[in-house]
Amino acid sequence: MTNFSETGYNKGDMNFESRTINFDYKLTELEDDLVDYILNHKEEVVEMKIVHLAQTIYTVPNTITRFCHKLGYKGFSELKAELRHEITDKKLPSNPQAVLLLKNIDLIDKVREAKVISAFQKAKAVNFYAVGQTGLVAKICVDNFYALDDKFLFYTYPNKLRHRMEHAEQEIFFFISLSGETDSVIDLATHAKKLGHIIISLTNLTDNRLSRLSDISLFCYTEKEIVDNYDVTDKTPILIVMHSLFQTFLK
């Protein structure tokens, strides 16, 4: 069993920017402005009192406290402490593989999962699409869903999926792309959007076109790795997020 203290990782140990991407769907317009201010003034914010920050962005301290809770911080003091760690470039963990796995477990949001499962239950069919190596991993996950209900389908050919879109009613189109920027995936997702279908996506934890197109955006976390011009990026995070979704569906 992994010893968290040995990894240098605590649950919730995502940086501020990662948290804002993961929980963007919870944030109000004012809170989006607060995100921008903090990202651009980290050094100043770590020295501020909550009252001062509230005055700076023309709000009240309770708004900032609620904002901190939405991002998974206990309060403003913890947010400042974590920002200070980021500024001083905190020591790298001794076990990066364990940290990668734990970061992905921490990204799983049960409220958002519940929305996905509710959509699954109401849909006549759930159509998954992914390409390349991501597609190989995604199909393993979809096969688990298919074993429970044959309305879960996996597509690798864009023309077949496009045909499905144009004849579907009350169906979901679920796109899996680590970059969230693959043109062929974006093209299909855009077409599905125009036809009024529900779109769900799973991408790497970035601000990307696919997640912005989606009605529900799920995230995993991995780091791109190239060896001898070959993409060897760890795809395990996809399995972690999809398996959690599958377990929630089982319940």
Side-chain angles (χ1 to χ4, degrees):
M1 178 177 288
T2 301
N3 184 328
F4 289 6
S5 64
E6 291 177 358
T7 67
Y9 179 89
N10 293 312
K11 185 169 174 55
D13 197 21
M14 289 185 287
N15 66 25
F16 176 76
E17 187 170 6
S18 295
R19 289 176 190 249
T20 61
I21 295 172
N22 192 36
F23 296 116
D24 178 70
Y25 74 101
K26 294 182 178 182
L27 302 181
T28 65
E29 186 174 341
L30 174 61
E31 289 167 339
D32 286 336
D33 292 339
L34 180 55
V35 168
D36 291 338
Y37 183 85
I38 293 174
L39 287 174
N40 291 316
H41 302 86
K42 285 185 179 180
E43 290 81 2
E44 294 94 325
V45 170
V46 296
E47 303 299 334
M48 282 184 177
K49 293 183 178 180
I50 192 170
V51 174
H52 182 194
L53 179 58
Q55 291 173 342
T56 301
I57 63 167
Y58 305 103
T59 187
V60 294
N62 283 347
T63 298
I64 296 174
T65 299
R66 285 194 297 270
F67 167 78
C68 294
H69 293 164
K70 285 182 180 181
L71 296 185
Y73 297 107
K74 293 177 182 177
F76 185 58
S77 294
E78 184 178 32
L79 183 150
K80 291 200 299 180
E82 291 301 320
L83 285 177
R84 187 172 284 110
H85 280 306
E86 294 174 30
I87 293 167
T88 57
D89 196 16
K90 168 169 68 170
K91 181 182 177 182
L92 292 174
S94 59
N95 190 339
Q97 290 78 21
V99 170
L100 179 69
L101 296 178
L102 291 168
K103 279 186 175 181
N104 279 281
I105 292 170
D106 198 33
L107 277 172
I108 294 168
D109 177 21
K110 290 301 178 182
V111 174
R112 188 161 43 198
E113 268 194 357
K115 291 182 180 179
V116 174
I117 298 305
S118 177
F120 281 1
Q121 291 168 339
K122 295 173 184 175
K124 290 182 178 179
V126 182
N127 306 284
F128 289 82
Y129 182 79
V131 296
Q133 294 178 343
T134 299
L136 297 176
V137 175
K139 189 176 186 305
I140 295 172
C141 304
V142 178
D143 284 347
N144 288 338
F145 283 98
Y146 181 80
L148 296 179
D149 193 327
D150 62 7
K151 74 177 183 179
F152 292 96
L153 305 169
F154 183 77
Y155 289 83
T156 54
Y157 297 105
N159 290 341
K160 288 186 177 181
L161 186 66
R162 187 179 290 269
H163 181 268
R164 180 83 184 200
M165 289 176 189
E166 292 169 353
H167 296 84
E169 292 183 5
Q170 295 181 308
E171 296 188 6
I172 290 171
F173 291 84
F174 195 132
F175 297 93
I176 302 176
S177 167
L178 283 179
S179 70
E181 297 290 347
T182 304
D183 287 337
S184 61
V185 176
I186 297 299
D187 180 58
L188 286 167
T190 301
H191 190 57
K193 190 81 170 180
K194 288 179 180 177
L195 293 172
H197 295 304
I198 294 175
I199 301 173
I200 301 174
S201 65
L202 172 58
T203 69
N204 201 9
L205 186 63
T206 59
D207 179 21
N208 59 77
R209 287 187 290 165
L210 180 56
S211 66
R212 292 196 298 271
L213 271 171
S214 303
D215 297 289
I216 307 175
S217 303
L218 301 176
F219 295 103
C220 62
Y221 176 82
T222 192
E223 295 182 1
K224 192 173 182 65
E225 185 176 0
I226 304 295
V227 176
D228 294 333
N229 297 317
Y230 188 74
D231 187 350
V232 294
T233 302
D234 191 347
K235 307 299 191 302
T236 306
I238 294 173
L239 294 172
I240 293 172
V241 175
M242 290 299 293
H243 183 68
S244 176
L245 197 63
F246 176 70
Q247 289 296 320
T248 301
F249 182 73
L250 279 177
K251 296 174 184 177

